[in-house]
Amino acid sequence: MAKLQRLIRDNRGFLVLLLFFGLFRTAVADWNPIPSGSMRPNLLEGDVVFVNRLAFNVKVPLTDVIVAKTAEPQRGDIVTFSSPADGTRLIKRLVALPGDVVEMRHKRLVIDGQPDSYVPQGAGIEPVPGVVDGLRALRMEEQGAAPGSPQRTIQWLPDVAARDDFGPVTVPADHFLMLGDNRDNSADSRYFGLVPRKLLIGRAERILVSADILDHWQPRFNRFGKSLY
């Protein structure tokens, strides 16, 4: 016990710094590595994004207790949140707000009876472990018909059987519908349901650094500091 007390006394400044840093990460700002391709083509595996934890809520550190609301989430925000299914931290795009009636028909979003519009943006390849040439990927510019919906580039994988139809679902108060931009390779609200506000962690603002995990972690300097909006 005496050794522990001496260790704490001799390293008091460093321990206070660690405590401050931990509280800062859990309450103010954070970074989030991208581990999967669910947000392709906008976020890639190996990107590390800056997350503003004060974008929507002020919370008691290390809890989901909301002390105050700072702003309302908006359509098109890229949001980190805890999965309502198992608590895993996820990052997806917010596509439907409280009060929206949302459905998907043959991959196409419909909100309040108004279908989004889709303009082809070319083709690409989705890298898949065990598939030498990857899978065909079709990139589309999606423009939401709902007010305030920004344009965004999404991706469809024609050779993948995914949940292309769901709803209609009415989004209740303080809940949001999240989808991955890589629509056919994303576990999102189509599978685990709507996300309550208390599970929102923050708004992803920009890419801090990036490395290609499929090419020996080579830095992708062109992605450093890139804004997500």
Side-chain angles (χ1 to χ4, degrees):
M1 181 61 69
K3 288 184 178 180
L4 178 60
Q5 290 176 340
R6 186 166 57 252
L7 179 65
I8 293 175
R9 184 178 62 251
D10 293 344
N11 295 278
R12 186 178 303 162
F14 179 66
L15 294 174
V16 170
L17 179 63
L18 285 181
L19 177 62
F20 176 80
F21 181 69
L23 290 175
F24 182 84
R25 281 200 64 185
T26 59
V28 180
D30 199 357
W31 58 86
N32 194 85
I34 304 301
S36 74
S38 70
M39 286 294 290
R40 281 179 170 270
N42 300 300
L43 289 175
L44 307 178
E45 302 95 319
D47 288 345
V48 178
V49 299
F50 170 78
V51 177
N52 180 2
R53 281 180 171 261
L54 297 179
F56 310 128
N57 306 306
V58 177
K59 291 184 177 181
V60 177
L62 303 176
T63 76
D64 289 324
V65 177
I66 297 175
V67 177
K69 297 179 179 179
T70 57
E72 292 301 316
Q74 302 296 315
R75 292 187 182 90
D77 283 349
I78 299 176
V79 178
T80 60
F81 58 95
S82 300
S83 169
D86 58 14
T88 301
R89 181 187 288 198
L90 302 174
I91 183 166
K92 307 291 180 187
R93 192 178 297 274
L94 191 158
V95 299
L97 299 170
D100 287 344
V101 179
V102 58
E103 56 188 302
M104 181 179 283
R105 294 290 171 255
H106 307 296
K107 298 186 184 294
R108 297 169 182 265
L109 274 175
V110 180
I111 297 181
D112 294 334
Q114 300 296 314
D116 288 2
S117 61
Y118 295 84
V119 177
Q121 296 293 307
I125 296 295
E126 175 81 354
V128 177
V131 180
V132 175
D133 296 324
L135 295 175
R136 290 186 302 141
L138 300 180
R139 292 178 181 169
M140 310 291 289
E141 194 73 28
E142 180 180 62
Q143 174 63 64
S149 295
Q151 285 186 339
R152 60 234 176 190
T153 302
I154 65 165
Q155 184 168 279
W156 292 338
L157 304 176
D159 301 321
V160 172
R163 190 171 185 184
D164 298 336
D165 298 271
F166 78 97
V169 173
T170 300
V171 182
D174 280 336
H175 284 70
F176 305 92
L177 187 137
M178 309 290 188
L179 294 179
D181 289 343
N182 196 0
R183 295 287 166 80
D184 298 321
N185 186 21
S186 174
D188 47 38
S189 286
R190 292 171 291 178
Y191 301 93
F192 53 65
L194 303 173
V195 179
R197 182 170 186 145
K198 68 178 182 179
L199 295 184
L200 302 186
I201 296 173
R203 182 178 190 258
E205 304 281 356
R206 65 179 59 247
I207 298 169
L208 293 174
V209 295
S210 181
D212 190 344
I213 66 175
L214 302 178
D215 187 19
H216 308 289
W217 293 93
Q218 290 295 312
R220 292 184 289 227
F221 293 111
N222 63 316
R223 299 184 66 79
F224 282 31
K226 180 180 178 181
S227 174
L228 298 178
Y229 306 96

